Amino acid sequence: VLFIIFQEDLSLILYLFIHFAVAGISTFMLGRSFGFKPQNAFVVSIFYVFSTKMLLHLEAGHLTMIASFAYIPLLFLSIREILKRREFLWILLGAVSLSFIYMTYPTIFYYTMIFVGVYSLYYIFSHFHKNTSLKNFILQRTWTPMILAEVLGGCQPSVRLLFNERVFFFVILIGAGIEFLQVQPVLLRQRRAH
């Protein structure tokens, strides 16, 4: 959208500024979620934003790779907050950041999904000892489909699970809509080529 509204030079500067700001702010918030003091979280965000990887990709002109790296801390923060407490804002931010990572650089998306999956499993099993059973923990902390709930022990569907399934469907719908914005120009280009 920036490249449509503004001239190319200005839109490129704004594009990079927005993505570096997203990376810095989300890394600061991620540091705070780990319990860092504000000064330490600020230092962590500065180190991430001005890391060698980000600056070398900037120099090489890999703008989409920089944009993809900018959303990883936001996704990781969203996953941490979703696992701690299920709030719609974090679900939405996680879905949007995951979609942006996929749209900007699909390879980084795949590696990020592996990391998120491993972290989620680590979180589930490291917090499991505080709960009475794995079945209750899964039903309380994750968006388990109703079929899994019935297989685990014939649980009756609760309002909480039904709400979570609707939210999960809504997140999938948002992600599909965002992905359509990327796929639609490609489809139009292929149609014109024939």
Side-chain angles (χ1 to χ4, degrees), residues 123-153:
Y123 183 89
I124 288 172
F125 288 114
S126 66
H127 289 80
F128 172 64
H129 67 279
K130 297 177 184 176
N131 296 297
T132 57
S133 70
L134 182 60
K135 178 181 79 170
N136 289 339
F137 184 79
I138 290 174
L139 291 176
Q140 290 171 2
R141 295 287 184 159
T142 60
W143 287 268
T144 309
M146 297 307 291
I147 296 170
L148 180 60
E150 290 177 14
V151 168
L152 287 175

Side-chain angles (χ1 to χ4, degrees), residues 27-99:
T27 305
F28 175 81
M29 291 173 60
L30 181 61
R32 293 292 291 153
S33 80
F34 275 106
F36 293 174
K37 294 178 182 176
Q39 307 92 305
N40 297 342
F42 180 75
V43 169
V44 167
S45 68
I46 292 297
F47 279 146
Y48 184 74
V49 169
F50 297 110
S51 66
T52 313
K53 187 166 193 65
M54 296 282 268
L55 295 179
L56 287 177
H57 286 300
L58 177 65
E59 178 68 26
H62 300 294
L63 304 179
T64 56
M65 194 175 278
I66 291 171
S68 180
F69 287 135
Y71 292 104
I72 291 175
L74 182 60
L75 175 66
F76 188 37
L77 175 65
S78 299
I79 295 298
R80 279 182 56 81
E81 294 298 323
I82 287 169
L83 290 171
K84 287 181 187 176
R85 56 182 191 270
R86 294 175 286 187
E87 293 180 3
F88 183 72
L89 173 68
W90 294 113
I91 295 169
L92 186 64
L93 283 175
V96 168
S97 62
L98 199 58
S99 295

Side-chain angles (χ1 to χ4, degrees), residues 162-182:
L162 291 174
F163 171 74
N164 289 336
E165 287 177 341
R166 288 185 190 134
V167 169
F168 182 73
F169 177 74
F170 185 66
V171 167
I172 296 294
L173 193 63
I174 289 172
I178 292 173
E179 294 305 319
F180 177 74
L181 295 175
Q182 180 188 12

